[in-house]
């Protein structure tokens, strides 16, 4: 059994108060007591990390030396890409487009071969090793998003995918009118890279810490369907647990629109995100 399945088993056992030795049959090569001790250790470790998602932990994966420098350089260049193409456009651009802009604009600077290889390595990195256990809906490093497949939401700077995601947004907007705002919609691979690398860079290259707050590139469902909502004039608190105190949250929860991608106590290695609307395709 791999680490992902193992962690899910022990977390489920813990949450349901099932005696750990009830699962021992799946590990016949180990003694029940050894199995229970192993379960207990992993459960405590997981709960501790998710309770303190924004703190470093002893077994976190942290980049050092050349890789840390590559992380900082790539973060800076991607930030310059964003400033060059504009915030709204940045949500949609692909990796190849970002590389092209780097070559075309001296204020960005061309991405070196090592920087490109670094970004590709991060994209294809096994997120399980970071402690992130979600699915990966985007498997191509060079994924592109066509403008014909999205709709720009006025006054937000964000886009939503046409079809079911847009229908869900219209229903939410109709139910809450001007109270609700779209805080994040479609995110291409480059946008997710920027968010993830910024978080890792600001925490000394800690990839594991970043993954507890942000899906690694390729693992975000913002790239295919999901979006975030918030309470108007609530600012940064829309991305904290205080969002649950708002009229928007309570109304959407009451109407059944908040089928969360990352609910409280989830086993995916991601903090609770009450603002993240899961859109099933």
């Amino acid at each position: 059994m791999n680490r992902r399945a193992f962690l899910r088993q022990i977390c489920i056992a813990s949450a349901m108060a099932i005696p750990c030795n009830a699962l021992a049959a799946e590990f016949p090569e180990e003694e029940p007591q050894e199995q229970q001790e192993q379960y207990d250790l992993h459960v405590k470790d997981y709960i501790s990390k998710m309770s303190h998602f924004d703190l470093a932990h002893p077994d976190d994966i942290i980049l050092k030396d050349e890789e840390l420098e590559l992380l900082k350089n790539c973060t800076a260049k991607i930030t310059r890409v964003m400033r060059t193409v504009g915030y709204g456009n940045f949500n949609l651009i692909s990796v190849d487009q970002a590389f092209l802009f780097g070559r075309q604009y001296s204020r960005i600077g061309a991405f070196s071969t090592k920087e490109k290889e670094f970004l590709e390595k991060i994209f294809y990195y096994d997120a399980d090793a970071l402690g992130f256990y979600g699915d990966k809906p985007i498997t191509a490093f060079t994924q592109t998003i066509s403008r014909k497949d999205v709709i720009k939401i006025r006054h937000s700077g964000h886009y939503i995918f046409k079809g079911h995601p847009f229908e869900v947004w219209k229903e939410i907007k109709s139910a809450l009118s001007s109270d609700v705002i779209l805080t994040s919609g479609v995110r291409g691979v480059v946008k997710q890279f920027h968010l993830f690398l910024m978080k890792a860079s600001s925490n000394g290259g800690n990839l594991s810490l970043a993954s507890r707050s942000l899906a690694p590139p390729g693992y975000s469902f913002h790239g295919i369907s999901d979006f975030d909502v918030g309470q108007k004039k609530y600012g940064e608190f829309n991305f904290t647990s205080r969002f649950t105190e708002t009229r928007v949250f309570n109304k959407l929860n009451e109407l059944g629109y908040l089928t969360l991608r990352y609910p409280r106590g989830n086993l995916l290695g991601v903090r609770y995100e009450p603002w993240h609307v899961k859109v099933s395709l």
Side-chain angles (χ1 to χ4, degrees), residues 61-72:
I61 293 177
I62 303 173
L63 300 182
K64 298 183 182 298
D65 304 323
E66 183 182 18
E67 286 195 321
L68 179 58
E69 189 65 24
L70 286 168
L71 168 67
K72 293 178 178 178

Side-chain angles (χ1 to χ4, degrees), residues 3 6-20 23 35-51 133 267:
R3 181 172 183 266
F6 177 64
L7 182 56
R8 281 179 170 168
Q9 288 274 23
I10 60 175
C11 286
I12 291 170
S14 175
M16 297 177 64
I18 296 173
C20 290
L23 298 176
Q35 184 65 55
Q36 182 164 343
E37 290 174 356
Q38 191 175 25
Y39 278 153
D40 291 344
L41 178 62
H42 282 281
V43 169
K44 289 177 182 178
D45 181 57
Y46 181 86
I47 292 172
S48 175
K49 286 178 180 177
M50 299 319 301
S51 298
Y133 306 107
L267 305 180

Side-chain angles (χ1 to χ4, degrees), residues 155-167:
H155 311 303
S156 74
H158 296 290
Y159 297 80
I160 285 183
F161 282 102
K162 292 179 180 179
H164 186 50
F166 184 58
E167 293 304 315

Side-chain angles (χ1 to χ4, degrees), residues 256-273:
Y257 286 114
L258 286 181
T259 305
L260 303 181
R261 179 71 62 184
Y262 305 116
R264 194 187 299 277
N266 73 80
L267 305 180
L268 301 176
V270 186
R271 63 172 175 160
Y272 173 44
E273 291 192 353

Side-chain angles (χ1 to χ4, degrees), residues 10 36 78-79 107 126 128 167 186 193 196 203 216 235 239 247 252 257 265 272 281:
I10 60 175
Q36 182 164 343
I78 294 175
T79 299
R107 62 177 173 271
D126 182 4
D128 282 14
E167 293 304 315
V186 177
F193 256 120
F196 185 77
N203 286 278
F239 296 100
R247 176 179 179 272
L252 292 181
Y257 286 114
Y272 173 44
L281 298 178

